[in-house]
Amino acid sequence: MICATYSDFVYWVEMQKRDYNAGKLAQGKINLLNDLNFDWTPDPVATWQDMYEQLSQYYDRFESTLINTRINEELGMWTNELRILYSKGNLDPTWVAKLNHLEFDWKAEDVNMNAMFDRLVAYKKKHGTVAVPYACPDDPPISNWIKRNRRD
């Protein structure tokens, strides 16, 4: 799977589960997914609401939604994924409204630049190069960041 579509896939899976649990998913789709032994249970690691609550606590403490990945790497990566989905128009409007309630910073390029640069330095340490492959290296967020910057 290509990293550029990974966040879209994760989002799509979450939407299927959400619609199914809300009784809004068409029976034909349910049948197709059941044929694949689709797991309808929410992600046990962290649901969207769990991550939102972490973000809300971070916001209360630091008065910002720009996550320092040294403080919370998982939350920083999650907020970066939200920005990517939002920029593509693929983020649930109810989620956008909740995030806007926290004054979510949709344009975090400067702060993210520093965080991603740190990741690039770590990548170079590990691999001896900053030539990050286009698709799915050890660190998909750095791959996505490099791809976006190659286009600019």
Side-chain angles (χ1 to χ4, degrees), residues 25 30 38 42 56 64 69 81 86 106 120 128 140:
L25 193 61
I30 294 170
F38 189 81
S56 181
S64 175
T69 54
E81 290 296 321
Y86 179 80
W106 297 105
L120 184 59

Side-chain angles (χ1 to χ4, degrees), residues 4-65:
T5 62
Y6 181 74
S7 62
D8 294 332
F9 176 72
V10 170
Y11 178 76
W12 179 85
V13 167
E14 195 164 317
M15 291 298 91
Q16 303 317 298
K17 291 178 181 184
R18 185 194 71 176
D19 289 349
Y20 174 80
N21 290 321
K24 296 179 181 179
L25 193 61
Q27 188 60 48
K29 289 181 180 180
I30 294 170
N31 294 342
L32 287 171
L33 291 167
N34 281 338
D35 288 345
L36 297 172
N37 295 319
F38 189 81
D39 182 1
W40 296 105
T41 58
D43 182 0
V45 175
T47 65
W48 193 91
Q49 187 61 38
D50 292 336
M51 295 304 292
Y52 178 81
E53 288 171 15
Q54 283 186 44
L55 180 62
S56 181
Q57 291 169 2
Y58 186 97
Y59 179 78
D60 289 346
R61 181 172 178 193
F62 298 103
E63 297 181 5
S64 175
T65 59

